[in-house]
C-alpha cells in the first residue's frame, strides 16, 4: 500500500513529541576489580530514526513525485520513518519547517529548497544542532557538515539544447520559461540553454521570456499572452516539464501552433505521455525514484555512521520519441500511470 503523508504548515507549527534517546547502563571495572555501573545516553535500538523531508511545494508535480517516492522508499527501511512537510513554494514556510524539525529533534532533515540561499542559514542551523542534514533537488553547495543528493542541472538542459540545435528551424521564434531565480537548478538550466543553444544560434529570436516558478498555470498564462502577440512561435524552451506542459495546454487545438517544439526537464508521467502523443519534443529524465532511493540510502549510511559525508548525482538521460516507452513503462510499474 502506498504511504503518502503530507504535513502542511498553516498558521502555527504542530509540535511533535520526539523521544530519541534513553539512558542505558554499562558495566565496567576499576583497577581493583570492583564492578561499577555507568549511565550513558544511547539511542533506543527499538525506535527508528526519524527523518523530516521538507518538500519544496506539493503543487509542483515533480516535488510531489519526489515526496511520494521518498515515502515509498522509506517503507523498505525498518530503522527509518519519514514525515513529509509541504513548503508551499514559500521561503518563510520552508525555513519555519526546518526550524520546527530542529526543535523537535529529528535525527535527519532532508531539504528540497525553494531558494537555496534563503534556506542556507537554516540548513546550517540543522548541522550545528548535530542533525544529519541532506539537501536535494537542488543541493545547496558549501555547507560544511551537510551532504547532498542531486542531478547536474547544466547537463539536464544541455542534452535538450544540443538536440535543439538541429531541430529548431532557422530564424525561429522561441519562448523561454524559467524557474524561480536563485534556485540552483533554475539558474543552471537557463545558463546551459543560453550557452549551448541561444549563443550558438544568433538567428533565433526570443519573443517571450518569463519566470513561471516551475508552475503549470503560470506558464499557461504567459503562453496565452505570447500567442496573442505572435503569429509564429516555433519552440517552447522550459526549465521543467510542468511549465512545458502548461505552455502546450495554451496552444492545444490551435492549428497555427500544431508543429511547435517543446522541451523540458524531469521526465514526469505527463511529459512522457505528451512525447508519446507527439506534442512534446523531449525532456531529460530526473528520476524521482532514483533520487528517493539515493536519499534513503544516504540517510541510512549517515545515521548509522557508515559514512560521514556523501555528495552524489543521479544520471540525466534524454527522453524523446525513440525511447519514451521505457519511461512510460517505468511510471506504470511505479503506479503513476
Amino acid at each position: 500500500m502506498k504511504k503518502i503523508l503530507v504535513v502542511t504548515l498553516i498558521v502555527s507549527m504542530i509540535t511533535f513529541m520526539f523521544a530519541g534517546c534513553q539512558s542505558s547502563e554499562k558495566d565496567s571495572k576499576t583497577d581493583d576489580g570492583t564492578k561499577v555501573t555507568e549511565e550513558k545516553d544511547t539511542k533506543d535500538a527499538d525506535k527508528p530514526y526519524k527523518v523530516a523531508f521538507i518538500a519544496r511545494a506539493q503543487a509542483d508535480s515533480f516535488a510531489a513525485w519526489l515526496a511520494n517516492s521518498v515515502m515509498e522508499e522509506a517503507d523498505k527501511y525498518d530503522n527509518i520513518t519519514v514525515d513529509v512537510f509541504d513548503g508551499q513554494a514559500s521561503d518563510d514556510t520552508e525555513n519555519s519547517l526546518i526550524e520546527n524539525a530542529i526543535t523537535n529533534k529529528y535525527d535527519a532533515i532532508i531539504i528540497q529548497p525553494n531558494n537555496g540561499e534563503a534556506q542556507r542559514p537554516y540548513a546550517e542551523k540543522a548541522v550545528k544542532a548535530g542533525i544529519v542534514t541532506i539537501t536535494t533537488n537542488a543541493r545547496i553547495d558549501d555547507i560544511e557538515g551537510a551532504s547532498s543528493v542531486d542531478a547536474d542541472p547544466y547537463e539536464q538542459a544541455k542534452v535538450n539544447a544540443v538536440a535543439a540545435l538541429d531541430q529548431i528551424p532557422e530564424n525561429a521564434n522561441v519562448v523561454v520559461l524559467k524557474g524561480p531565480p536563485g534556485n540552483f537548478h533554475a539558474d543552471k538550466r537557463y545558463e546551459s540553454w543560453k550557452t549551448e543553444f541561444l549563443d550558438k544560434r544568433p538567428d533565433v529570436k526570443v519573443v517571450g521570456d518569463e519566470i513561471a516558478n516551475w508552475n503549470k498555470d503560470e506558464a499557461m498564462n504567459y503562453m496565452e499572452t505570447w500567442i496573442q502577440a505572435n503569429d509564429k512561435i516555433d519552440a517552447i524552451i522550459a526549465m521543467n516539464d510542468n511549465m512545458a506542459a502548461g505552455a502546450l495546454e495554451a496552444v492545444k487545438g490551435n492549428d497555427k501552433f500544431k508543429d511547435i517544439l517543446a522541451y523540458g526537464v524531469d521526465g514526469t508521467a505527463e511529459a512522457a505521455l505528451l512525447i508519446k502523443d507527439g506534442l512534446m519534443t523531449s525532456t531529460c529524465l530526473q528520476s524521482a525514484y532514483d533520487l528517493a532511493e539515493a536519499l534513503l540510502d544516504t540517510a541510512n549510511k549517515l545515521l548509522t555512521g557508515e559514512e560521514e559525508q556523501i555528495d552524489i548525482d543521479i544520471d540525466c538521460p534524454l527522453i524523446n520519441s525513440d525511447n519514451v516507452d521505457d519511461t512510460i513503462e517505468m511510471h506504470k510499474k511505479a503506479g503513476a500511470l
Side-chain angles (χ1 to χ4, degrees), residues 48-304:
Y49 295 104
K50 288 190 66 177
V51 177
F53 180 82
I54 314 297
R56 179 175 62 240
Q58 289 295 92
D60 176 334
S61 59
F62 183 81
W65 176 20
L66 179 57
N68 293 342
S69 298
V70 166
M71 293 301 297
E72 290 166 2
E73 187 67 22
D75 283 338
K76 301 175 184 179
Y77 290 80
D78 294 333
N79 64 330
I80 291 175
T81 62
V82 175
D83 294 331
V84 173
F85 299 89
D86 185 1
Q88 301 178 30
S90 163
D91 288 336
D92 289 342
T93 299
E94 276 222 26
N95 296 341
S96 294
L97 288 168
I98 297 168
E99 285 196 311
N100 192 55
I102 295 170
T103 300
N104 289 287
K105 300 181 180 179
Y106 275 83
D107 297 294
I109 302 174
I110 301 172
I111 302 168
Q112 182 192 23
N114 182 60
N115 176 339
E117 290 310 302
Q119 276 74 71
R120 178 183 295 278
Y122 295 87
E124 291 171 343
K125 284 184 183 180
V127 172
K128 189 175 180 180
I131 296 171
V132 168
T133 304
I134 305 167
T135 62
T136 189
N137 186 241
R139 69 164 44 93
I140 306 174
D141 282 327
D142 302 323
I143 299 179
E144 186 175 352
S147 292
S148 64
V149 175
D150 202 6
D152 185 335
Y154 190 96
E155 290 300 318
Q156 289 174 329
K158 182 179 177 179
V159 295
N160 282 298
V162 169
L165 285 171
D166 295 326
Q167 293 168 343
I168 294 179
E170 189 176 357
N171 299 316
N173 288 348
V174 304
V175 294
V176 178
L177 290 160
K178 300 175 184 175
N183 180 285
F184 176 60
H185 275 223
D187 293 345
K188 284 295 181 181
R189 288 175 193 174
Y190 176 70
E191 178 188 327
S192 182
W193 267 104
K194 186 176 185 307
T195 302
E196 304 296 339
F197 178 78
L198 293 172
D199 289 351
K200 295 178 180 179
R201 288 288 306 274
D203 60 296
V204 171
K205 182 179 180 181
V206 177
V207 297
D209 184 331
E210 291 288 352
I211 295 166
N213 295 304
W214 309 129
N215 188 276
K216 185 175 182 178
D217 290 338
E218 289 186 38
M220 182 171 64
N221 290 337
Y222 285 127
M223 193 65 182
E224 287 172 347
T225 299
W226 291 332
I227 62 176
Q228 290 174 10
N230 298 276
D231 289 332
K232 184 185 79 158
I233 298 176
D234 298 286
I236 300 161
I237 297 172
M239 301 308 118
N240 80 337
D241 290 344
N242 214 30
M243 295 186 294
L248 286 170
E249 188 67 25
V251 300
K252 188 176 181 180
N254 189 331
D255 287 342
K256 189 187 296 185
F257 302 99
K258 63 183 177 62
D259 296 323
I260 197 167
L261 304 173
Y263 304 88
V265 171
D266 284 336
T268 62
E270 181 179 27
L273 294 177
L274 287 170
I275 292 172
K276 181 68 175 177
D277 291 341
L279 300 174
M280 188 166 168
T281 311
S282 65
T283 185
C284 173
L285 179 61
Q286 177 173 246
S287 172
Y289 308 123
D290 289 350
L291 278 173
E293 182 179 354
L295 282 167
L296 268 296
D297 180 64
T298 295
N300 184 56
K301 287 176 177 176
L302 295 171
L303 287 165
T304 59

Side-chain angles (χ1 to χ4, degrees), residues 28-49:
S28 62
K29 292 184 178 181
T30 63
D31 291 340
D32 62 3
T34 304
K35 181 185 288 188
V36 297
T37 299
E38 300 173 350
E39 284 197 352
K40 181 181 179 182
D41 285 339
T42 60
K43 180 172 176 65
D44 189 334
D46 295 331
K47 292 187 177 181
Y49 295 104

